[in-house]
Amino acid sequence: MIARSRCKFDATCLVLVGFLLFMAAPLCRAQSADVAATPPMGWNSWNHFAEKVDDAIIRAQADAMVSSGMRDAGYLYINIDDTWEGERDAQGVIHANGKFPDMKALADYVHSKGLKIGIYSSPGPQTCAKFAGSYGHEEQDAATYAAWGIDYLKYDLCGLRDIMKGADSPDAANKIMVNAYLKMRDALRTTGRPIVYSFCQYGDDAVWRWGASAGGNLWRTTGDINDTYPRMATIGFGQAGLAKFAGPGHWNDPDMLEVGNGGMQAEEYRTHMSLWAILAAPLLAGNDLSAMSAETRALLTNREVIAIDQDAAGKQGDRFSAEGPMEIWTRPLADGSKAVGLFNRHSGALDMQVNFRELGFNGAVKVRDVWGAKDLGSMQGGYKVQVPGHGVVLLRVSE
Ligand code: GLA
């Protein structure tokens, strides 16, 4: 409209508008990279506690995040998912329900531990669990979150789908969705508080193509994960081809971790962590941190795996090859080395082999077995290794 009123809407105008948008883009990106320069790490209440989450649980998770060493390993956000929402008052201001007597005090507590706190809402009138969403109250809600001291918002499509159904066409429905995400982006920006903005709309309408320009710091690429190998593997290995859409400030999100929730074997959880690290995925633990085993803690806090996930270059990895159930995934890292995951999706052990020349290395390479925490020495050619069923051998290879 502005362009039309100032000049005839012709090719020159389009070029001008395009140029202005191009110049503005790095500014927007720089803003979002401030809060998510590397994939966000933390914890979310949904996978383990679902609707049982309350103030006491959040405090206990924050305590455990610190005492378990997870904070020092890089986990920062304590995120309250759905079911915290109460009623709106006469002015339309949202209040938490009885499970959360004082959100500001809770945020202060979490902050006092050197952590950050996240919350959840929907662009629709209702959330997935049928609590109040932000529809028609976006600015008000963003202001409330900022006043509480919230640092992260997961914005879950759910209730907006009913409104989208009223649209004339799929394109019009998608426009309603994108506009709803833009509306909350603007509302969050208006608060002036840095708040990580997490889209949760299950990967609809190829969100990876427009998520960053709509202000998303991360966007779910799929439906919900659950604590089983088939679901985790379907989601994780299904991320092939999405690498080019991720980077500092804007990440693909294959959903939260199930590590430690008990439904998978240790080998399978190692696959989960390794794949998520290669994918530069957000690492949001979803177990009960206050009651985790030493094994779970070791899986979640492995420094070398986290270093791959949080690599400064921010380049997501991708599938390099697939031979039936044997998949090799690689991720280029800032120091010129590569993370190489040899994944066996079959239930029994299989011999796998990787050829370093094919991976782009000429000559001898240094190879480190990441989970084994062992230097395997200098190698020429390739490496052959037996990979356990549903398991992984994760290597860091350098020239
Ligand atoms: C959806 C989301 C989940 C969780 C629930 C809460 O299913 O994908 O991650 O937030 O809603 O109701």
Side-chain angles (χ1 to χ4, degrees):
M1 285 306 279
I2 293 172
R4 203 171 291 169
S5 63
R6 295 268 160 86
C7 57
K8 216 164 121 259
F9 201 71
D10 57 10
T12 320
C13 249
L14 273 180
V15 169
L16 181 65
V17 170
F19 177 72
L20 290 174
L21 285 174
F22 175 77
M23 295 303 285
L27 293 175
C28 302
R29 285 283 159 74
Q31 201 175 10
S32 55
D34 279 352
V35 287
T38 58
M41 290 177 67
W43 173 90
N44 174 293
S45 58
W46 189 253
N47 284 354
H48 186 85
F49 293 100
E51 74 287 348
K52 292 190 200 75
V53 66
D54 63 12
D55 179 284
I57 286 173
I58 293 299
R59 285 170 193 259
Q61 299 306 307
D63 293 348
M65 188 79 107
V66 178
S67 61
S68 65
M70 285 196 43
R71 181 192 63 186
D72 293 343
Y75 292 85
L76 187 60
Y77 293 93
I78 296 281
N79 292 348
I80 306 167
D81 208 280
D82 204 353
T83 79
W84 64 267
E85 308 87 342
E87 303 294 319
R88 291 188 183 279
D89 63 22
Q91 281 70 46
V93 174
I94 187 87
H95 294 271
N97 59 40
K99 296 191 298 172
F100 292 90
D102 187 341
M103 273 295 189
K104 171 87 175 70
L106 181 58
D108 288 348
Y109 183 79
V110 171
H111 289 149
S112 77
K113 300 271 160 184
L115 299 167
K116 291 182 182 285
I117 185 164
I119 211 161
Y120 166 102
S121 189
S122 171
Q126 284 196 323
T127 66
C128 293
K130 308 272 180 255
F131 286 72
S134 293
Y135 187 72
H137 295 275
E138 294 81 0
E139 292 225 345
Q140 234 172 356
D141 286 0
T144 301
Y145 305 152
W148 285 342
I150 296 294
D151 307 295
Y152 184 118
L153 172 68
K154 172 174 168 182
Y155 208 42
D156 189 350
L157 188 66
C158 258
L160 194 74
R161 279 186 153 165
D162 293 335
I163 291 169
M164 290 164 65
K165 277 183 200 143
D168 297 343
S169 66
D171 277 357
N174 284 335
K175 202 161 178 198
I176 293 174
M177 171 174 66
V178 175
N179 284 340
Y181 278 91
L182 286 168
K183 195 165 200 177
M184 184 51 95
R185 175 201 66 181
D186 293 343
L188 292 174
R189 282 188 183 165
T190 301
T191 68
R193 185 175 174 85
I195 296 177
V196 174
Y197 189 22
S198 158
F199 291 11
C200 177
Q201 47 76 282
Y202 338 113
D204 285 358
D205 193 29
V207 61
W208 41 86
R209 296 197 190 141
W210 55 267
S213 55
N217 294 118
L218 59 157
W219 47 83
R220 280 269 298 277
T221 54
T222 72
D224 289 12
I225 197 168
N226 62 40
D227 190 18
T228 65
Y229 177 79
R231 184 63 185 149
M232 181 278 290
T234 300
I235 289 179
F237 294 111
Q239 302 299 299
L242 299 186
K244 61 173 181 261
F245 301 101
H250 53 282
W251 307 101
N252 289 305
D253 173 11
D255 208 358
M256 305 169 291
L257 298 171
E258 290 283 7
V259 176
N261 278 334
M264 290 186 242
Q265 304 296 314
E267 210 54 70
E268 299 172 330
Y269 284 139
R270 250 191 293 280
T271 292
H272 191 6
M273 284 297 290
S274 307
L275 194 47
W276 264 236
I278 287 176
L279 292 170
L283 296 180
L284 294 169
N287 58 317
D288 180 357
L289 303 180
S290 68
M292 68 180 155
S293 66
E295 183 180 67
T296 296
R297 186 167 57 235
L299 282 165
L300 287 168
T301 57
N302 184 296
R303 292 294 207 277
E304 294 185 47
V305 177
I306 290 173
I308 293 171
D309 181 78
Q310 296 288 300
D311 185 73
K315 291 194 174 132
Q316 179 175 330
D318 215 331
R319 185 162 61 199
F320 175 75
S321 66
E323 180 194 332
M326 294 176 282
E327 297 196 16
I328 298 180
W329 288 64
T330 64
R331 176 173 178 189
L333 302 171
D335 64 359
S337 65
K338 276 189 174 147
V340 180
L342 286 74
F343 294 95
N344 173 11
R345 298 181 67 175
H346 180 59
S347 54
L350 286 171
D351 286 339
M352 290 185 68
Q353 109 181 20
V354 59
N355 179 312
F356 299 122
R357 187 175 288 273
E358 284 173 9
L359 291 186
F361 293 102
N362 300 308
V365 290
K366 280 183 276 174
V367 181
R368 179 156 174 91
D369 175 350
V370 172
W371 287 109
K374 208 164 109 195
D375 286 326
L376 301 179
S378 176
M379 293 186 195
Q380 293 270 4
Y383 177 59
K384 194 170 168 186
V385 64
Q386 188 175 76
V387 184
H390 290 179
V392 62
V393 169
L394 181 62
L395 306 174
R396 190 161 176 147
V397 181
S398 53
E399 215 119 38

